[in-house]
Amino acid sequence: MIKAFSALLFTTALACAGSAALAQDKTVKIGALSDQSGLYADLGGPGSTLAAQMAAEDSGLTQKGWKIDIISADHQNKPDIGSNIARQWFDVEKVDIIVDVPNSGVALAVNNIVREKNGVYINSGAAASDLTNSQCSPNTVHWTYDTYMLAHGTGGALVKAGGDSWFFITADYAFGAALERDTTAVVKAGGGRVLGSVKHPLNSSDFSSFLLQAQASKAKIIGLANAGGDTTNTIKQAAEFGIVSGGQKLAALLLFLSDVHSLGLNVAQGLNFTESFYWDTNDQTRAFAKKFQERMRNKQMPTMVHAGVYAGVLHYLKALEAMGGNSHDGAKIVAKMKEMPTDDPLFGKGKIEANGRKIHPAYLFEVKKPSESKGPWDYYKLVSTIPAEQAFTPLSESTCALLKK
């Protein structure tokens, strides 16, 4: 009995020592996985890596003895490459958290790897609302925006304004399909009709045949269910075809600040779109944007994706500090992130729902005319604010299996 009792005490001591060591572990490794050189590089890419670095610095944890490393990689908009990088990061590089990941096809693939490896995944770049519905995970937080927000923001506003017939030009992968699906539901709910759609390959250069089909449909609204370089190329070529001057309206269902900068106000003026962050919203967003711009090689202002990476990493680090250390248990860390209210200088106060959806207001903007802009990067004027509780899929409508437990 004495031997048995001694063995029990020894085992208990080991367990306690292990727990104490775990609580004192103050090392974090963050992987920024993005499109570093392709059509989504300006909206995410190097800017997302910088945003993660700024969050680590602003968290104050390094001054408290924490060691925070940040690495980055290019998924090249290919799910297999993204998945391989994620596995390598968890198995070899000992990464704790993956952030950003624009391109919904890559994002959904990485989502599965992170859950398998019990890491943490804060997605800011991808749009598919499936990440908090059919493909939800206890390890994933979808931070910045999604196809539900875009569809109900831009699509809903245009339908109310009389845009009751639509034709979609859609990127042929998970993101385009999700955005067309969610916007179609909004159009039909508002009494509108979808007259047709056409799919185009990712990173296309010639949209002439797709635009001719949209023009021939006579639809009042041509919905662009694409992003980044694909969106800017579509809009530029639509101007060459005289589509807007011919009476049809373009709906840029996903438009970023970097896209408007690329297009220029002469081409982009009048476009309506929905975002959850704009650098010129208040003193706090302007202060962050100034610091960000100073450190960007191309002196670009931050997009909402960059803002989401910053805010998401900041909240993650707050959760680790509240837990007393890094347990390297992704599901437990995400549960702590959901338990804590969110509060950061870019999105303000909010929360993370049980399905992993980060809740905050969204904004319907219109691109300014050149005569309305007061200087560089002064591109948006606010049309309306969508309250946080209306901007994203209500939990009562979510298909996330986590809600059934």
Side-chain angles (χ1 to χ4, degrees), residues 359-392:
I359 301 298
H360 44 245
Y363 309 97
L364 182 65
F365 291 111
E366 182 178 307
V367 178
K368 290 183 174 181
K369 298 174 183 176
S371 60
E372 295 173 321
S373 177
K374 297 177 181 178
W377 300 96
D378 178 26
Y379 297 153
Y380 295 1
K381 57 183 177 183
L382 180 64
V383 177
S384 62
T385 299
I386 305 167
E389 60 272 14
Q390 297 176 20
F392 300 97

Coordinates of all heavy atoms in Angstrom, one line a residue, residues 359-392:
I359 N -18.7 38.7 -34.9 CA -19.8 39.6 -35.1 C -19.3 41.1 -34.9 O -18.8 41.5 -33.9 CB -21.0 39.3 -34.2 CG1 -21.4 37.9 -34.4 CG2 -22.1 40.3 -34.4 CD1 -21.9 37.6 -35.8
H360 N -19.6 41.9 -35.9 CA -19.4 43.4 -35.9 C -20.2 44.0 -37.0 O -20.7 43.4 -37.9 CB -17.9 43.7 -36.0 CG -17.2 42.9 -37.1 ND1 -16.2 42.0 -36.9 CD2 -17.4 42.9 -38.5 CE1 -15.8 41.5 -38.1 NE2 -16.6 42.0 -39.0
P361 N -20.4 45.3 -37.0 CA -21.1 46.0 -38.0 C -20.5 45.9 -39.4 O -19.3 45.7 -39.5 CB -21.2 47.5 -37.6 CG -20.8 47.4 -36.1 CD -19.9 46.3 -35.9
A362 N -21.3 46.1 -40.4 CA -20.8 46.1 -41.8 C -21.3 47.5 -42.4 O -22.2 48.1 -41.8 CB -21.2 45.0 -42.6
Y363 N -20.6 47.9 -43.5 CA -21.0 49.2 -44.0 C -21.1 49.1 -45.5 O -20.3 48.5 -46.2 CB -19.8 50.2 -43.7 CG -19.4 50.2 -42.2 CD1 -18.4 49.4 -41.8 CD2 -20.2 50.9 -41.3 CE1 -18.0 49.4 -40.4 CE2 -19.8 50.9 -40.0 CZ -18.8 50.2 -39.5 OH -18.4 50.2 -38.2
L364 N -22.2 49.7 -46.0 CA -22.5 49.9 -47.4 C -21.8 51.2 -47.9 O -22.2 52.3 -47.4 CB -23.9 49.9 -47.7 CG -24.3 50.0 -49.2 CD1 -23.8 48.7 -50.0 CD2 -25.8 50.1 -49.4
F365 N -20.8 51.1 -48.8 CA -20.1 52.3 -49.2 C -20.4 52.5 -50.7 O -20.9 51.6 -51.4 CB -18.6 52.1 -49.1 CG -18.1 52.1 -47.7 CD1 -17.6 50.9 -47.1 CD2 -18.1 53.2 -46.9 CE1 -17.1 50.9 -45.8 CE2 -17.6 53.2 -45.6 CZ -17.1 52.0 -45.1
E366 N -20.1 53.7 -51.1 CA -20.1 54.1 -52.6 C -18.8 54.7 -52.9 O -18.2 55.5 -52.1 CB -21.2 55.0 -52.9 CG -21.3 55.4 -54.4 CD -22.5 56.3 -54.7 OE1 -23.6 55.9 -54.3 OE2 -22.3 57.3 -55.3
V367 N -18.2 54.4 -54.0 CA -16.9 55.0 -54.4 C -17.2 56.4 -54.8 O -18.1 56.7 -55.6 CB -16.3 54.2 -55.6 CG1 -15.0 54.9 -56.1 CG2 -16.0 52.7 -55.2
K368 N -16.3 57.3 -54.3 CA -16.5 58.7 -54.6 C -16.2 59.1 -56.0 O -15.4 58.4 -56.7 CB -15.5 59.5 -53.7 CG -15.9 59.5 -52.2 CD -14.9 60.4 -51.4 CE -15.4 60.5 -50.0 NZ -14.5 61.4 -49.2
K369 N -16.7 60.2 -56.5 CA -16.3 60.8 -57.8 C -14.9 61.4 -57.5 O -14.6 61.8 -56.4 CB -17.3 61.8 -58.2 CG -18.7 61.3 -58.4 CD -19.7 62.5 -58.7 CE -21.1 62.0 -58.9 NZ -22.0 63.1 -59.1
P370 N -14.1 61.6 -58.6 CA -12.8 62.2 -58.4 C -12.9 63.6 -57.8 O -12.1 64.0 -57.0 CB -12.3 62.4 -59.9 CG -13.0 61.2 -60.6 CD -14.3 61.1 -60.0
S371 N -14.0 64.3 -58.1 CA -14.2 65.7 -57.5 C -14.5 65.6 -56.0 O -14.3 66.7 -55.3 CB -15.3 66.4 -58.3 OG -16.5 65.7 -58.1
E372 N -15.0 64.5 -55.5 CA -15.3 64.4 -54.1 C -14.1 64.0 -53.2 O -14.2 64.1 -52.0 CB -16.4 63.4 -53.9 CG -17.8 63.8 -54.6 CD -18.8 62.7 -54.5 OE1 -18.4 61.5 -54.7 OE2 -20.0 63.0 -54.3
S373 N -13.1 63.4 -53.8 CA -12.0 62.9 -53.1 C -11.1 64.1 -52.6 O -10.7 65.0 -53.4 CB -11.1 61.9 -53.9 OG -10.0 61.5 -53.2
K374 N -10.7 64.1 -51.4 CA -9.9 65.1 -50.8 C -8.4 64.8 -50.8 O -7.6 65.7 -50.4 CB -10.3 65.4 -49.4 CG -11.8 65.9 -49.3 CD -12.2 66.1 -47.9 CE -13.6 66.6 -47.8 NZ -14.1 66.8 -46.4
G375 N -8.0 63.6 -51.3 CA -6.6 63.3 -51.3 C -6.4 61.8 -51.6 O -7.3 61.1 -51.8
P376 N -5.1 61.4 -51.5 CA -4.8 59.9 -51.8 C -5.5 59.0 -50.8 O -5.6 59.3 -49.6 CB -3.3 59.9 -51.5 CG -2.8 61.3 -51.7 CD -3.9 62.2 -51.3
W377 N -6.1 58.0 -51.3 CA -6.8 56.9 -50.6 C -8.1 57.4 -50.0 O -8.7 56.7 -49.2 CB -5.9 56.3 -49.5 CG -4.7 55.7 -50.1 CD1 -3.4 56.2 -50.2 CD2 -4.5 54.4 -50.6 NE1 -2.5 55.3 -50.7 CE2 -3.2 54.2 -51.1 CE3 -5.5 53.3 -50.8 CZ2 -2.7 53.0 -51.7 CZ3 -5.0 52.2 -51.4 CH2 -3.6 52.0 -51.8
D378 N -8.5 58.6 -50.3 CA -9.9 59.1 -49.9 C -10.9 58.6 -50.9 O -11.2 59.4 -51.8 CB -9.9 60.6 -49.7 CG -11.2 61.1 -49.3 OD1 -12.0 60.4 -48.7 OD2 -11.5 62.3 -49.6
Y379 N -11.4 57.4 -50.8 CA -12.1 56.8 -51.9 C -13.6 56.5 -51.6 O -14.4 56.3 -52.5 CB -11.5 55.5 -52.3 CG -10.1 55.6 -52.9 CD1 -9.2 54.5 -52.8 CD2 -9.7 56.7 -53.5 CE1 -7.9 54.6 -53.3 CE2 -8.4 56.8 -54.1 CZ -7.5 55.8 -54.0 OH -6.3 55.9 -54.5
Y380 N -13.9 56.4 -50.3 CA -15.3 55.9 -49.9 C -16.2 56.9 -49.3 O -15.7 57.8 -48.6 CB -15.2 54.8 -48.9 CG -14.5 53.5 -49.3 CD1 -13.9 53.3 -50.5 CD2 -14.4 52.4 -48.3 CE1 -13.3 52.1 -50.8 CE2 -13.7 51.2 -48.7 CZ -13.2 51.1 -49.9 OH -12.6 49.9 -50.2
K381 N -17.4 56.8 -49.6 CA -18.4 57.6 -48.8 C -19.4 56.6 -48.3 O -19.9 55.7 -49.0 CB -19.1 58.7 -49.6 CG -19.8 58.3 -50.9 CD -20.3 59.6 -51.6 CE -21.0 59.2 -52.9 NZ -21.4 60.5 -53.6
L382 N -19.8 56.8 -47.0 CA -20.7 55.8 -46.3 C -22.1 56.0 -46.8 O -22.7 57.2 -46.8 CB -20.6 56.0 -44.8 CG -21.5 55.1 -43.9 CD1 -21.0 53.7 -44.1 CD2 -21.3 55.6 -42.5
V383 N -22.8 54.9 -47.2 CA -24.2 55.0 -47.6 C -25.1 54.6 -46.4 O -26.0 55.3 -46.1 CB -24.5 54.1 -48.8 CG1 -26.0 54.0 -49.1 CG2 -23.6 54.5 -50.0
S384 N -24.7 53.5 -45.7 CA -25.5 53.0 -44.6 C -24.7 52.1 -43.7 O -23.7 51.5 -44.2 CB -26.8 52.4 -45.0 OG -26.6 51.2 -45.8
T385 N -25.1 51.9 -42.5 CA -24.4 51.0 -41.6 C -25.4 49.8 -41.3 O -26.5 50.0 -41.0 CB -24.1 51.7 -40.2 OG1 -23.2 52.7 -40.5 CG2 -23.4 50.7 -39.3
I386 N -24.8 48.6 -41.4 CA -25.6 47.4 -41.1 C -25.2 46.9 -39.7 O -24.1 46.6 -39.4 CB -25.2 46.3 -42.1 CG1 -25.5 46.8 -43.6 CG2 -26.1 45.0 -41.9 CD1 -24.9 45.9 -44.6
P387 N -26.2 46.9 -38.8 CA -25.9 46.5 -37.4 C -25.3 45.1 -37.3 O -25.6 44.3 -38.2 CB -27.2 46.6 -36.7 CG -28.1 47.5 -37.5 CD -27.6 47.3 -39.0
A388 N -24.4 44.9 -36.3 CA -23.7 43.6 -36.2 C -24.7 42.5 -36.2 O -24.4 41.4 -36.8 CB -22.9 43.7 -34.9
E389 N -25.8 42.6 -35.5 CA -26.7 41.4 -35.4 C -27.5 41.1 -36.7 O -28.1 40.1 -36.9 CB -27.8 41.7 -34.3 CG -28.6 42.9 -34.5 CD -28.0 44.2 -34.0 OE1 -26.8 44.2 -33.6 OE2 -28.8 45.2 -33.8
Q390 N -27.3 42.0 -37.7 CA -28.0 41.8 -39.0 C -26.9 41.5 -40.1 O -27.3 41.1 -41.2 CB -28.8 43.1 -39.4 CG -29.9 43.4 -38.5 CD -30.6 44.7 -38.9 OE1 -30.5 45.1 -40.0 NE2 -31.4 45.3 -38.0
A391 N -25.7 41.7 -39.8 CA -24.6 41.6 -40.9 C -24.3 40.2 -41.2 O -23.8 39.9 -42.3 CB -23.4 42.4 -40.4
F392 N -24.5 39.2 -40.3 CA -24.0 37.9 -40.5 C -25.2 36.9 -40.3 O -26.2 37.2 -39.7 CB -22.8 37.6 -39.6 CG -21.7 38.5 -39.9 CD1 -21.4 39.6 -39.1 CD2 -20.8 38.2 -41.0 CE1 -20.3 40.4 -39.4 CE2 -19.7 39.0 -41.3 CZ -19.5 40.1 -40.5

